[in-house]
């Protein structure tokens, strides 16, 4: 037998699909604001729009209560300089945060101005943001008046980098902290967001994948007036008609990766992150930015995220590291100026590796939990690791095994897990281009969170989602519904249901594996124009020969098949954008053998790519094309009443 389905057909009765299957049956929904993607940004966008009294519809591929990269939780609310304990000015901090190559100055300014307002609203909805039960009283960074848990690890007043003279616990001196990062109980956030959506009357369609954007007259580049979707339980075809649409579906985490079950790939993205909103915007004619940017992926331990492997980084906050003989290792920080806020710099990493090779430290390393005070140990284990989406599984596993931090060391996999594999990569900072209203280059289409270019963290997604919601409302109040193109709908319907017309061929996992291998060969560490073009040729061959054999026997596998088609399109965009940038770039993770000059002045610019009449068009934008961040923000938000504004 060739596969499991053939085996079932030949030897037993196939299991019954637990939902009524209604392939090709159409369900039409009319709304004012359509939000595609119910993660952190999408939920905030829906709530923000609904509070303005418009009819809002939210479409989510999974279940909104926990969907998205931030759905299980988060432990830090970053970049919140308007909080009462902050020692920096939000506008100055925004400039500081944007002072690096290829940032999104628009999103950063919004985050710095509105992040604290967003956090307070989260509290009003039921999310926990303070140590109200005095569980961590006495912990470093806790403020007894506000009961905020300021992160003692992140940043000094004049820099986002930790002070090189941090204390023995890896803390910045209190008088030097900028206080812009707050520890939070992020596992409470997503359920509160869904509850608030329902309270406000948001119409939620869980288990519906967005498949395409509908444009006025069906014209590419026209005003976006709705979208289509697939119900991945019933197989029904959804047609959404809207005045304004917001996409917030994150990025594509597996363009280069296959076999997610076994490889231990290091990514925050789950398999459901398949570039949906990005590709929907692309096909509709929206402009994308920096799609050539990529980064290597570390091969971790099967625990999903490389940083979280013992101690020394991110959620492990201030856990000291010792070597196999109990000798203190200079992590976190411990006076090494080559260590960053989250991870070691390449130079700092090199120094430790050299020390290991010289025998100064013996592997493996261990997180020295017993050396910490009780309150710091509990704050790190229960609050930081217990609230972060990718680490809760770790502490649950250790707790079940009887781990006791007052007595036990925790093995770290740093430096024994192997190096990164350069051919295994992930999309970088590419995404949809936006303006100061977070509107894409298409009328009627707004963007929030990780779907836009150069996005940031959890709180960034929340703040930009909240912002996009009110901007979409302002647009929708001034315009009516557009006229749908039946021809455009029928084309999309035929594309969506093509795999169910076949009873054999290849399934989605095979197609995904073929795409991933192609990208590993032709768009990995070694980059040349010839390799890029060979990659495009291979994918075009795949589209011609393999895609017509793609089949799906139930709505879930049909959804997975459509995700593969989105990832294929994403891969083609990456390759075409890579051909267009004829220079190497460190911040873009882009090293071309045939153009070895690194970041030459003439290439110090954003590159854009879009479809125009089904032909690829390349353009460029200067760094800081958004202008003066403070002035532009205030010009576009004269009536906004926030904490900082008051």
């Amino acid at each position: 037998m060739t596969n499991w389905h053939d085996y079932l057909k030949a030897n037993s009765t196939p299991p019954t699909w637990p939902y009524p299957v209604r392939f090709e049956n159409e369900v039409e929904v009319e709304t004012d604001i359509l939000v595609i993607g119910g993660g952190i940004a999408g939920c905030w966008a829906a709530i923000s729009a609904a509070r303005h009294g418009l009819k809002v519809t939210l479409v989510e591929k999974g279940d909104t209560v926990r969907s998205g990269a931030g759905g299980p939780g988060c432990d830090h609310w970053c970049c919140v300089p308007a909080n009462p304990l902050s020692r920096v000015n939000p506008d100055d901090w925004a400039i500081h945060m944007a002072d690096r190559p290829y940032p999104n100055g628009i999103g950063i300014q919004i985050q710095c101005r509105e992040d604290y307002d967003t956090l307070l609203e989260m509290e009003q909805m039921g999310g926990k943001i303070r140590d109200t039960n005095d569980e961590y009283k006495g912990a470093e960074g806790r403020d007894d008046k506000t009961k905020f848990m300021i992160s003692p690890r992140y940043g000094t007043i004049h820099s986002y980098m930790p002070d090189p003279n941090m204390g023995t616990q890896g803390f910045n001196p209190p008088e030097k902290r900028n206080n812009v990062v707050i520890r939070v109980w992020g596992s409470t956030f997503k359920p509160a967001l869904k509850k608030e959506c329902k309270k406000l009357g948001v119409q939620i369609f869980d288990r519906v994948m967005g498949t395409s954007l509908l444009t006025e007259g069906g014209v590419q580049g026209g005003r976006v007036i709705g979208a289509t979707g697939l119900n991945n339980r019933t197989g029904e075809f959804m047609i959404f008609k809207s005045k304004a649409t917001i996409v917030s579906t994150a990025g594509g985490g597996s363009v280069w990766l296959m076999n997610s079950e076994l490889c231990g790939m290091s990514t925050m993205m789950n398999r459901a992150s398949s570039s949906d909103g990005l590709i929907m915007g692309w096909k509709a004619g929206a402009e994308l930015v920096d799609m050539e940017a990529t980064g290597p992926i570390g091969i971790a331990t099967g625990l999903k995220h490389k940083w979280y492997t013992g101690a020394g980084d991110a959620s492990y906050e201030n856990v000291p590291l010792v070597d196999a003989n109990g000798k203190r290792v200079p992590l976190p920080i411990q006076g090494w100026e080559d260590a960053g806020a989250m991870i070691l710099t390449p130079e700092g990493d090199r120094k430790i590796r050299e020390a290991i090779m010289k025998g100064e430290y013996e592997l493996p390393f261990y997180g020295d939990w017993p050396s910490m005070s009780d309150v710091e140990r509990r704050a790190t284990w229960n609050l930081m690791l217990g609230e972060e989406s990718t680490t809760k599984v770790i502490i649950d596993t250790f707790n079940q095994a009887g781990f006791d931090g007052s007595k036990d060391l925790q093995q770290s996999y740093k430096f024994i897990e192997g190096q990164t594999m350069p051919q295994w990569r992930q999309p970088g900072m590419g995404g949809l281009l936006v303006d100061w209203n977070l509107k894409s280059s298409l009328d009627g289409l707004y963007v929030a969170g990780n779907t836009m270019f150069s996005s940031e963290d959890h709180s960034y997604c929340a703040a930009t989602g909240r912002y996009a919601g009110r901007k979409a409302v302002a647009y929708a109040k001034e315009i009516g519904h557009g006229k749908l193109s039946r021809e455009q709908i029928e084309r999309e319907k035929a594309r969506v249901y093509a795999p169910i017309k076949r009873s054999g061929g290849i399934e989605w996992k095979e197609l995904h594996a073929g795409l991933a291998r192609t990208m590993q060969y032709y768009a990995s560490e070694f980059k040349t124009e010839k390799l890029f073009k060979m990659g495009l040729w291979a994918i075009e061959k795949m589209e011609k020969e393999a895609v017509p054999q793609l089949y799906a026997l139930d709505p879930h596998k049909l959804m997975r098949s459509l995700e593969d088609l989105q990832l294929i399109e994403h891969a083609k965009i990456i390759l075409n954008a890579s051909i267009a940038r004829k220079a190497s770039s460190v911040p873009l993770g882009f090293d071309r053998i045939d153009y070895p000059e690194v970041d030459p002045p003439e290439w110090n610019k954003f590159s854009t790519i879009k479809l125009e009449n089904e032909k690829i068009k390349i353009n460029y934008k200067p760094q800081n094309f958004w202008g003066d961040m403070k002035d532009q923000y205030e010009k576009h938000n004269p009536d906004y009443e926030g904490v900082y504004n008051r």
Side-chain angles (χ1 to χ4, degrees), residues 374 408 522:
D374 176 70
D408 301 328
Y522 302 115

Side-chain angles (χ1 to χ4, degrees), residues 302-538:
L303 295 177
K304 195 174 182 182
H305 200 295
K306 186 179 180 181
W307 290 344
Y308 308 134
T309 53
D313 296 312
S315 298
Y316 281 90
E317 196 85 342
N318 58 307
V319 182
L321 275 180
V322 295
D323 76 354
N325 297 316
K327 182 180 179 180
R328 185 73 168 86
V329 180
L331 278 173
I333 315 308
Q334 293 303 307
W336 285 40
E337 70 252 11
D338 297 305
M342 297 283 278
I343 58 175
L344 279 169
T345 62
E347 178 63 16
D349 182 88
R350 182 187 63 79
K351 286 184 178 181
I352 291 186
R353 291 182 185 279
E354 288 180 354
I356 292 170
M357 295 303 293
K358 292 176 182 177
E360 295 177 23
Y361 302 110
E362 183 175 342
L363 294 171
F365 293 161
Y366 294 90
D368 188 8
W369 293 90
S371 70
M372 301 170 67
S373 68
D374 176 70
V375 67
E376 297 300 341
R377 185 166 54 243
R378 287 188 291 107
T380 304
W381 187 260
N382 298 324
L383 178 57
M384 308 311 299
L385 296 173
E387 297 295 330
E388 175 63 28
S389 63
T390 55
T391 49
K392 191 176 189 305
V393 63
I394 298 176
I395 70 161
D396 286 348
T397 301
F398 273 77
N399 286 339
Q400 291 167 13
F403 179 80
D404 183 349
S406 67
K407 303 174 182 177
D408 301 328
L409 301 180
Q410 182 187 25
Q411 184 174 307
S412 170
Y413 295 91
K414 285 180 175 296
F415 306 109
I416 64 172
E417 62 191 352
Q419 300 295 311
T420 60
M421 296 181 67
Q423 74 271 26
W424 286 34
R425 305 186 74 80
Q426 60 187 345
M429 58 188 71
L432 286 166
L433 177 69
V434 294
D435 63 13
W436 276 100
N437 291 320
L438 295 190
K439 185 176 78 70
S440 73
S441 59
L442 302 180
D443 280 343
L445 181 63
Y446 293 78
V447 193
N450 286 336
T451 310
M452 65 174 148
F453 78 99
S454 298
S455 61
E456 302 281 335
D457 57 359
H458 181 116
S459 62
Y460 175 97
C461 292
T464 57
R466 179 175 175 270
Y467 185 99
R470 75 171 186 265
K471 294 299 182 180
V473 164
Y475 175 86
K477 284 182 175 179
E478 302 297 324
I479 201 164
H481 284 285
K483 185 178 180 181
L484 299 179
S485 165
R486 190 66 212 181
E487 181 183 355
Q488 185 181 37
I489 292 171
E490 290 297 336
R491 283 199 308 269
E492 177 62 9
K493 194 172 180 180
R495 184 188 77 87
V496 166
Y497 290 110
I500 69 160
K501 306 295 184 182
R502 311 176 188 109
S503 59
I506 64 172
E507 289 194 287
W508 69 272
K509 283 192 176 184
E510 296 173 78
L511 185 59
H512 181 205
L515 172 66
R517 184 61 81 194
T518 297
M519 292 299 283
Q520 289 170 15
Y521 285 151
Y522 302 115
S524 61
E525 178 183 17
F526 300 108
K527 296 180 175 67
T528 67
E529 186 151 337
K530 184 173 184 178
L531 286 171
F532 295 146
K533 289 182 176 179
M534 290 177 71
L536 284 172
W537 175 85

Side-chain angles (χ1 to χ4, degrees), residues 156-173:
T156 58
I157 293 175
H158 301 293
S159 172
Y160 191 64
M161 302 290 281
D163 191 287
N165 299 310
M166 295 171 82
T168 58
Q169 288 290 318
F171 294 135
N172 280 305

Side-chain angles (χ1 to χ4, degrees), residues 15 30 50 66 83 97 123 175 234 262 313 339 422 478 484 501 604 630:
E30 186 172 301
R66 285 295 180 193
N83 82 79
M97 289 296 293
E123 185 177 38
E175 69 278 5
T234 67
L262 299 176
D313 296 312
E478 302 297 324
L484 299 179
K501 306 295 184 182
N604 181 26
K630 179 179 182 293

Side-chain angles (χ1 to χ4, degrees), residues 30-33 216 223 225 241-244 479-483:
E30 186 172 301
T31 189
D32 294 320
I33 307 293
E216 192 100 61
R223 175 193 163 202
I225 57 173
K241 189 176 182 180
S242 61
K243 295 178 181 178
I479 201 164
H481 284 285
K483 185 178 180 181

Side-chain angles (χ1 to χ4, degrees), residues 8 10 211 224 269 510:
L8 288 175
T211 67
V224 173
M269 299 295 180
E510 296 173 78

Side-chain angles (χ1 to χ4, degrees), residues 253-254 256-267 297-305 417 419 421 424 512 520:
S254 53
W256 279 263
L257 303 174
M258 53 189 172
N259 195 356
S260 60
E261 297 93 338
L262 299 176
C263 70
M265 62 189 187
S266 174
T267 175
I297 288 180
I299 306 307
T301 60
L303 295 177
K304 195 174 182 182
H305 200 295
E417 62 191 352
Q419 300 295 311
M421 296 181 67
W424 286 34
H512 181 205
Q520 289 170 15

